[in-house]
Amino acid sequence: MNRYRKRFWLLASGVAALAGYLDAVGFLTLNGLFVSFMSGNSTQLAVDLVRGGPMAAVAAGLVGAFVGGVIAGALAARVAGMARKPVVLLLVTILLAVAALLNAPSAVFVMAAAMGAANGVFQRDGEVSIGVTYMTGTLVKLGQRLAAAITGGARWAWIPHLLLWSALVTGAALGAFAHLHAGPHALWLATAAALILTVAAALTDRRA
């Protein structure tokens, strides 16, 4: 986050909030599995394989869909070049619209693909530079920057990492609320948010 100008912090936080929103919707729909947090799904896959649980196939399908989305996002980013942020977010928007149109249990796999693709928004040298769908690395960096600040390093370098984590948590709270009150329409709200982020990315890139 610190390698980007501050206006990109808001865009990254918006994408993280979208990821949190969708993960909450997916978590509640799947009774404990995720559409963006693949570490949790991988653990559930392993546990269910050992215990003979019923969710192993679903967890494996979510992991596969997520990786497929990562591939699609990376290819879109490569083709788009300097316009990769809005192009990848447009791909995310289309996938979420498909998931909303499906309005079926299989929609969670399209949601997972959308979250995989979202990791192509922020890249440097072909690698993910800001993880917008998972927060373990962000929390590690937050702790490291706080330790550096305590020992005389950059005083405020931890703020963007806290902002990113807070955005995901806020998005998850909104996703839980939407799932409770809007039901299947919660995905259309996510699609609209992704479209707004696509436009914001195009405007942000224009200012770069």
Side-chain angles (χ1 to χ4, degrees), residues 111-171:
M111 292 164 61
M115 289 298 89
N119 286 284
V121 176
F122 290 94
Q123 292 186 20
R124 285 187 185 273
D125 301 322
E127 300 290 335
V128 174
S129 53
I130 301 178
V132 291
T133 67
Y134 48 89
M135 288 295 122
T136 301
T138 297
L139 290 174
V140 169
K141 290 178 182 178
L142 171 61
Q144 291 173 334
R145 300 298 183 270
L146 282 169
I150 291 169
T151 55
R155 181 176 295 182
W156 307 113
W158 53 273
I159 288 179
H161 305 292
L162 178 62
L163 180 65
L164 196 65
W165 176 80
S166 299
L168 184 134
V169 172
T170 301

Side-chain angles (χ1 to χ4, degrees), residues 3-190:
R3 297 170 64 187
Y4 285 87
R5 297 178 183 179
K6 290 182 180 179
R7 64 175 175 269
F8 289 108
W9 296 1
L10 294 177
L11 179 62
S13 297
V15 180
L18 177 64
Y21 180 102
L22 289 166
D23 225 15
V25 171
F27 183 85
L28 293 170
T29 301
L30 292 163
N31 296 314
L33 291 177
F34 305 89
V35 297
S36 75
F37 180 55
M38 291 302 122
S39 295
N41 289 344
S42 298
T43 301
Q44 187 66 55
L45 168 62
V47 170
D48 273 14
L49 284 174
V50 172
R51 296 174 57 188
M55 298 299 286
V58 178
L62 290 167
V63 171
F66 184 88
V67 173
V70 172
I71 294 170
L75 291 173
R78 181 168 296 186
V79 171
M82 295 298 293
R84 67 179 177 275
K85 293 180 182 66
V87 168
V88 172
L89 282 169
L90 180 59
L91 172 61
V92 171
T93 303
I94 293 170
L95 288 170
L96 291 178
V98 170
L101 285 169
L102 284 174
N103 191 23
S106 58
V108 294
F109 300 105
V110 185
M111 292 164 61
M115 289 298 89
N119 286 284
V121 176
F122 290 94
Q123 292 186 20
R124 285 187 185 273
D125 301 322
E127 300 290 335
V128 174
S129 53
I130 301 178
V132 291
T133 67
Y134 48 89
M135 288 295 122
T136 301
T138 297
L139 290 174
V140 169
K141 290 178 182 178
L142 171 61
Q144 291 173 334
R145 300 298 183 270
L146 282 169
I150 291 169
T151 55
R155 181 176 295 182
W156 307 113
W158 53 273
I159 288 179
H161 305 292
L162 178 62
L163 180 65
L164 196 65
W165 176 80
S166 299
L168 184 134
V169 172
T170 301
L174 292 173
F177 182 85
H179 183 271
L180 179 63
H181 294 282
H185 299 297
L187 279 180
W188 285 115
L189 295 174

